[in-house]
Amino acid sequence: MAAAAEPGARAWLGGGSPRAGSPNSSPDLGSRGRARPGPGSGLGAGPERTGAKPSGPAALGHSFRKVMLTKPTFCHLCSDFIWGLAGFLCDVCNFMSHERCLKHVKTPCTGLAPSLVRVPVAHCFGSRGLYRRKFCSVCRKCLEAPALRCEVCELHVHPDCVPFACSDCRECQRDGHRDHDARRHHWREGNLPPGARCEVCRKACGSSDVLAGLRCQWCGVQAHTVCSAALAPECTFGRLRTLVLPPACVRLLSRNFSKMHCFRVSESAAPEPGEGDSVDGSASGGPGREAQAPESGKQTLKVFDGSDAVQRNHFRVITATRLARSEEVLEAALRAYYITGDPRNFELQALPTPGQAGDAGALRKAGSGGTLEEDGGRGPASREAAPEAWVIRALPRTEEVLKVYPAWLKVAVAYVSIRVTPQSTARAVVLEVLPLLGLQAEGAESFQLVEVLMGSRHVQRTVLEDGELLLHRLRDIRQASLWQMGQTRFYVAERRAAVPRVSLFVGGLPPGLSHPEYGSLLDEAVATKAGLATLSHVYSSQGAVVLDVTCFAEAERLYMLVRDTAVHGRPLTALVLPEVLHTRLPPDCRPLLVFVNPKSGGLKGRDLLCSFRKLLNPHQVFELTNGGPLPGFHVFSQVPCFRVLVCGGDGTVGWVLAALEEMRPRLACPEPAVAILPLGTGNDLGRVLRWGAGYSGEDPLSVLASVDEADAVLMDRWTILLDAHEAGGAENSLADVEPPRIVQMSNYCGIGIDAELSLDFHQAREEEPGKFTSRFHNKGVYLRAGLQKISQSRGLHKEIRLQVEQHEVELPSIEGLIFINIPSWGSGADLWGSDNDSRFEKPRMDDGLLEVVGVTGVMHMGQVQSGLRSGIRIAQGAYFRVTLLKATPVQVDGEPWVQAPGHIIISAVGPKVHMLRKAKQKPRKAGTPKEA
């Protein structure tokens, strides 16, 4: 009943705890029951039979033994070669070390890692992908087949290792019931970037040959495992501290919602490990991980860890000699499931066949001291009838020692240990624990016992009834799954009536409705309950609302129902939104709101989405294909100072700027500066602001650092009113006249030939979007469309009329008319030209003027983009009126359509928008030849 260790010794803090092998690995039993290393471990003929087992790392749960190496392998601590008899291998987690490095081992073994996690946080696994030169953090083997990666932290695992990954992800928010202490480093082991250097000794700490080295998931500091002890435990968020949204400033009641929902991660349609009839312990996995045919004199056995595994047919395979004793088989089965308890407290029961399921005597126990042959009788006939599937069971216990943790209570111990008897109830445990925590003065009625299951994908909390018997509860958990028992904790928590408040964003509704009309529409579509869900915000122009739900079950029901509902033929969008506690933000914090268009730049958009979630707080990264920019601006609406990063093409930037213009009256920071990471084809605005011609794989960390150092500049925004009407005969007009509409412009507006080429490209991309994954291919499509129209002549000057500042302007013979706001057009071309002209002012992007330029055809456009010519300067002004006499292609910032005959009015939109221009890199100072 004594208190446990001090708080300083309690927390691995989720930092890259290595865990043991995959469900498909096959521990091989020798004559003494020692596990030989599996395929790909770099080991040779087997263990050195010395029985040496150093006692130093025993506190971390490792079970080391000396091994004979016939080919060189690598130490997981120093990354150097190990050869001959100099290596020690952990039987459970495959941790390999020099003998001289054993005393420096600080990485806990798999069986112990869940108990050392300070705050259990589930992982957020995305879809499967191929990650070259990466290692599984569970079995420490190379990822040679498609694997899974956490979208929030650097955890890489094989699909069949997912159930054994402990819940040690980054804590990115408050869950509504805890004030955060000082932020500590969140260490993750291995998979460091190439060229990683230790922060302490400045030597290489990463390795592409082994899982080694540590990296903080918040500040990015890297170090050797041994050197990490010399670093201060507090994390300052490193280089990006002014851009990161601190976790203590985010609140989200995430009960009933997975991390995929909370972080708005697109869910994969692929079945998860352990789900479905075809997934078992011998089917999935990469090369060298599936069960292979046993050698002569050996047999393979299927092992389950409880009733749940039997029902799901999720087993692990071990290989044993036919003369192996039952104790040796039991030890191998416990190692396969990373169970570190005393083998004398467990037994193996033979799994009955379907024909024996009703036979009470079908379950046969592997008795102590016997062999597998003895269990099945002697002789060949009985040897063939020996069962090949076994279930590990815990022996009945009359009493048990239970660890009870304080749930966010201000106490000086990590946990207390008490003895549980058959008469111990949850209320009795609370009464016994409170004096040990120094809370005897508090009323026992104010506390309750909470059971927490630390699953790798979801952390589940259950409040136990006061009269529930703890010993029976533990027995039921072990009966279901022995591994689950190792991931179950019990907390003493205050009885506080939680006030649920979940914000649900609902998009895709018809625009232009009133507050009561949206309420009636949602009530009809998803049957919202008036007492539990209210409309807190209405964005009528964009057809979106935000619901405040005061019941977790109702919030989950509405979320799932909205995602499967369509209104007027349009599917609805549902997002779970966090709350930013803006009053807690540090004074120097200017969090970065990131928008990523995953459809831009081929696959680079999705890679950037994952990278930014790891470098920043995932709650500040939004995917534009999932609700657009409105949810992000709503979450940041009360932040007094923030900046925006848009990852996409010019059309994506215009989309975000238009949403910002509409949200400006509702923002506490009405003028957030906007940076660009160009992922499109033209990227003209990105070129002007020095962000480059297009993203080509730069380090995302350096991109964020450039955003932090960027300079704010002003840029004009323009309003274009499209007023279509019939203007002539029926052959020159559309059958249905379009209603007037308004679009916003930042870069340029084209009428005629350039819009026609953009329209052809847009239609080709809509038909086969999978082919448009590179800028080179996209420009090739543009070129091919231009060559097809090189001999065509439309005579645009005869089909339009132009007024500038109320004055009619006579147009020359042209095929295209372009209004430009920035000095870049058509992927970096200078359409206006650099020659001085006394008729016009020098163009600037913030002068309140637009330049009007004409092109005579495709050949002229090609010469402009080649730098051989410039366009035909026509006018410069702040107000324009264009009259279309017939249907004509029009494009605004790369978004084309066919405009019906009518009027186009272009004028200034109002306040200028603040953009971020990348700072010029300072030239390096000339140093000595040695430094160079």
Side-chain angles (χ1 to χ4, degrees):
M1 299 183 186
E6 288 76 9
R10 62 175 153 168
W12 173 253
L13 197 57
S17 50
R19 290 161 294 277
S22 67
N24 298 326
S25 58
S26 302
D28 186 7
L29 297 182
S31 59
R32 294 184 58 185
R34 297 281 188 181
R36 287 198 181 106
S41 60
L43 304 181
E48 170 72 11
R49 305 299 181 185
T50 62
K53 205 177 217 182
S55 58
L60 296 172
H62 289 292
S63 178
F64 282 111
R65 58 186 171 85
K66 203 169 188 178
V67 292
M68 169 69 76
L69 303 173
T70 58
K71 61 179 181 179
T73 186
F74 298 91
C75 175
H76 284 90
L77 270 175
C78 64
S79 304
D80 290 340
F81 282 115
I82 306 177
W83 186 266
L85 290 174
F88 282 78
L89 174 72
C90 176
D91 282 339
V92 179
C93 68
N94 299 325
F95 193 97
M96 176 65 68
S97 172
H98 290 103
E99 184 173 7
R100 67 175 185 270
C101 295
L102 285 177
K103 59 183 178 181
H104 300 300
V105 174
K106 295 184 179 181
T107 303
C109 191
T110 272
L112 194 64
S115 64
L116 297 180
V117 175
R118 187 176 184 181
V119 179
V121 181
H123 292 285
C124 182
F125 294 108
S127 57
R128 300 189 186 188
L130 188 60
Y131 305 107
R132 300 186 182 278
R133 305 188 73 83
K134 298 290 185 182
F135 294 87
C136 177
S137 295
V138 174
C139 67
R140 310 183 74 88
K141 296 180 181 178
C142 186
L143 299 177
E144 299 175 351
L148 295 174
R149 176 182 64 180
C150 179
E151 297 286 329
V152 182
C153 68
E154 287 291 338
L155 185 79
H156 292 75
V157 290
H158 291 103
D160 47 357
C161 291
V162 170
F164 302 96
C166 68
S167 51
D168 60 353
C169 192
R170 284 195 305 170
E171 190 180 12
C172 299
Q173 82 237 2
R174 292 177 56 198
D175 201 12
H177 60 272
R178 177 177 184 256
D179 290 331
H180 284 247
D181 299 324
R183 177 63 48 183
R184 295 177 176 268
H185 290 295
H186 186 103
W187 297 114
R188 177 67 67 208
E189 186 186 19
N191 296 322
L192 271 62
R197 293 284 174 179
C198 177
E199 188 73 14
V200 178
C201 66
R202 307 308 303 171
K203 296 180 180 179
C205 60
S207 175
S208 59
D209 302 306
V210 72
L211 193 71
L214 297 177
R215 183 179 185 272
C216 176
Q217 294 300 292
W218 282 115
C219 66
V221 65
Q222 300 163 146
H224 294 101
T225 305
V226 178
C227 297
S228 62
L231 296 172
E234 290 78 16
C235 178
T236 61
F237 295 107
R239 173 67 184 81
L240 305 178
R241 59 184 174 274
T242 60
L243 302 180
V244 174
L245 183 62
C249 301
V250 183
R251 178 168 56 196
L252 175 62
L253 299 177
S254 57
R255 194 181 306 174
N256 292 12
F257 291 103
S258 69
K259 292 298 178 186
M260 305 284 283
H261 299 154
C262 295
F263 295 141
R264 306 166 300 277
V265 177
S266 301
E267 299 183 55
S268 172
E272 300 297 345
E275 299 179 1
D277 298 334
S278 63
V279 179
D280 57 34
S282 61
S284 60
R289 301 171 60 80
E290 60 274 357
Q292 300 179 0
E295 301 175 8
S296 176
K298 298 182 181 180
Q299 59 181 332
T300 58
L301 303 175
K302 299 178 182 178
V303 180
F304 301 86
D305 77 323
S307 303
D308 286 351
V310 173
Q311 292 179 359
R312 292 183 289 111
N313 195 30
H314 195 200
F315 55 86
R316 304 195 71 191
V317 178
I318 63 174
T319 304
T321 60
R322 297 189 180 274
L323 297 177
R325 301 181 63 83
S326 58
E327 294 95 334
E328 298 168 349
V329 179
L330 178 58
E331 289 179 3
L334 293 176
R335 285 196 298 269
Y337 280 99
Y338 324 130
I339 300 171
T340 58
D342 191 342
R344 292 174 295 181
N345 296 328
F346 302 91
E347 66 181 6
L348 282 176
Q349 294 181 357
L351 185 69
T353 61
Q356 299 173 326
D359 187 0
L363 278 176
R364 292 174 292 163
K365 300 180 181 180
S368 175
T371 65
L372 291 182
E373 289 189 352
E374 293 170 355
D375 294 328
R378 297 188 181 276
S382 60
R383 201 174 298 169
E384 294 176 0
E388 295 184 356
W390 301 79
V391 184
I392 315 174
R393 296 294 188 188
L395 296 175
R397 307 182 185 184
T398 57
E399 62 178 18
E400 190 166 345
V401 176
L402 182 68
K403 292 181 180 179
V404 181
Y405 295 79
W408 327 131
L409 304 177
K410 300 297 183 180
V411 296
V413 295
Y415 61 85
V416 295
S417 299
I418 62 173
R419 195 170 298 277
V420 177
T421 64
Q423 293 74 34
S424 299
T425 62
R427 172 52 46 189
V429 169
V430 171
L431 293 174
E432 188 174 357
V433 166
L434 288 179
L436 300 176
L437 296 177
L439 300 174
Q440 57 271 19
E442 305 287 340
E445 308 80 25
S446 303
F447 297 90
Q448 60 189 0
L449 194 65
V450 180
E451 176 188 302
V452 176
L453 174 59
M454 305 184 298
S456 62
R457 293 182 181 272
H458 193 57
V459 176
Q460 303 176 5
R461 297 174 175 86
T462 304
V463 178
L464 301 183
E465 298 292 338
D466 290 344
E468 186 161 3
L469 298 175
L470 262 296
L471 202 61
H472 291 174
R473 183 78 177 183
L474 298 177
R475 181 198 60 195
D476 293 342
I477 296 175
R478 286 195 178 93
Q479 188 77 7
S481 172
L482 290 174
W483 169 251
Q484 178 178 327
M485 184 64 223
Q487 292 183 300
T488 303
R489 282 186 185 175
F490 293 89
Y491 287 84
V492 169
E494 291 182 280
R495 289 184 188 268
R496 289 194 293 180
V499 181
R501 184 175 178 272
V502 181
S503 295
L504 286 182
F505 174 87
V506 180
L509 297 168
L513 302 183
S514 63
H515 192 289
E517 289 174 332
Y518 280 120
S520 301
L521 183 62
L522 288 175
D523 184 47
E524 180 182 353
V526 295
T528 56
K529 298 180 181 179
L532 301 178
T534 58
L535 288 177
S536 62
H537 296 80
V538 175
Y539 300 100
S540 178
S541 61
Q542 301 192 35
V545 299
V546 177
L547 291 172
D548 277 353
V549 189
T550 58
C551 174
F552 290 119
E554 177 66 8
E556 183 183 22
R557 184 190 73 85
L558 288 175
Y559 176 81
M560 303 305 294
L561 191 58
V562 166
R563 298 192 342 160
D564 295 332
T565 302
V567 174
H568 298 172
R570 292 182 57 190
L572 299 183
T573 301
L575 297 176
V576 182
L577 299 183
E579 178 186 2
V580 177
L581 307 176
H582 59 279
T583 57
R584 294 175 174 262
L585 289 171
D588 62 340
C589 180
R590 293 182 297 169
L592 185 67
L593 176 58
V594 181
F595 294 109
V596 181
N597 188 352
K599 293 184 178 180
S600 299
L603 300 178
K604 293 186 178 66
R606 294 208 173 274
D607 292 339
L608 284 170
L609 194 65
C610 185
S611 298
F612 288 141
R613 286 194 182 113
K614 290 179 173 62
L615 292 170
L616 303 171
N617 193 321
H619 289 299
Q620 63 188 111
V621 181
F622 289 80
E623 183 179 349
L624 286 172
T625 56
N626 192 12
L630 182 58
F633 286 124
H634 173 81
V635 171
F636 274 61
S637 60
Q638 299 302 316
V639 177
C641 183
F642 69 93
R643 286 173 287 183
V644 179
L645 173 62
V646 183
C647 305
D650 288 337
T652 302
V653 176
W655 183 16
V656 174
L657 292 179
L660 173 61
E661 190 64 34
E662 292 190 19
M663 282 291 296
R664 195 185 302 274
R666 305 191 186 208
L667 296 179
C669 176
E671 302 292 344
V674 181
I676 301 173
L677 183 56
L679 298 181
T681 303
N683 303 315
D684 289 289
L685 185 55
R687 296 170 191 264
V688 172
L689 297 175
R690 301 178 186 156
W691 296 108
Y695 178 72
S696 56
E698 293 85 359
D699 183 12
L701 178 61
S702 65
V703 172
L704 294 178
S706 298
V707 173
D708 191 27
E709 298 171 353
D711 304 319
V713 295
L714 294 176
M715 185 182 72
D716 296 326
R717 289 271 290 163
W718 298 84
T719 297
I720 302 179
L721 172 63
L722 304 168
D723 186 11
H725 61 82
E726 293 188 1
E731 68 277 6
N732 294 328
S733 63
L734 297 179
D736 298 326
V737 178
E738 299 177 0
R741 64 190 182 105
I742 294 177
V743 297
Q744 307 293 335
M745 186 193 79
S746 300
N747 301 350
Y748 42 74
C749 169
I751 303 174
I753 185 61
D754 70 316
E756 191 173 349
L757 294 179
S758 297
L759 185 61
D760 292 345
F761 173 83
H762 177 75
Q763 292 173 346
R765 183 169 57 181
E766 289 293 322
E767 293 176 359
E768 297 179 295
K771 293 184 177 181
F772 293 78
T773 57
S774 69
R775 297 187 188 93
F776 183 79
H777 176 270
N778 295 351
K779 292 182 178 180
V781 175
Y782 264 115
L783 178 61
R784 186 166 60 251
L787 293 176
Q788 293 174 353
K789 300 179 183 298
I790 196 169
S791 60
Q792 297 181 7
S793 177
R794 179 173 183 140
L796 181 69
H797 60 287
K798 301 177 182 179
E799 300 173 358
I800 65 174
R801 300 288 182 267
L802 174 64
Q803 289 183 359
V804 180
E805 307 289 357
Q806 307 300 326
H807 299 289
E808 188 83 18
V809 176
E810 183 178 355
L811 296 176
S813 178
I814 57 174
E815 296 295 325
L817 189 66
I818 304 168
F819 301 81
I820 55 177
N821 184 46
I822 61 175
S824 179
W825 168 85
S827 301
D830 185 3
L831 189 60
W832 183 258
S834 58
D835 297 337
N836 295 326
D837 193 333
S838 59
R839 298 176 300 167
F840 306 109
E841 299 180 11
K842 185 177 181 180
R844 295 201 324 269
M845 59 188 299
D846 62 344
D847 58 1
L849 299 176
L850 277 181
E851 288 71 46
V852 185
V853 184
V855 292
T856 59
V858 174
M859 183 66 72
H860 188 185
M861 292 171 58
Q863 293 172 336
V864 170
Q865 291 181 335
S866 301
L868 301 177
R869 292 180 60 186
S870 59
I872 302 174
R873 297 178 182 179
I874 296 177
Q876 190 179 50
Y879 178 84
F880 305 88
R881 183 185 185 94
V882 181
T883 302
L884 300 183
L885 304 180
K886 60 184 299 185
T888 306
V890 175
Q891 65 99 356
V892 175
D893 291 346
E895 300 298 323
W897 69 91
V898 177
Q899 180 63 26
H903 298 292
I904 299 177
I905 298 176
I906 305 175
S907 60
V909 74
K912 304 178 189 296
V913 64
H914 291 250
M915 304 298 294
L916 288 174
R917 183 171 58 192
K918 187 175 181 180
K920 291 184 177 180
Q921 296 182 355
K922 297 180 180 179
R924 295 183 179 180
K925 295 182 179 180
T928 62
K930 182 178 179 180
E931 292 174 350

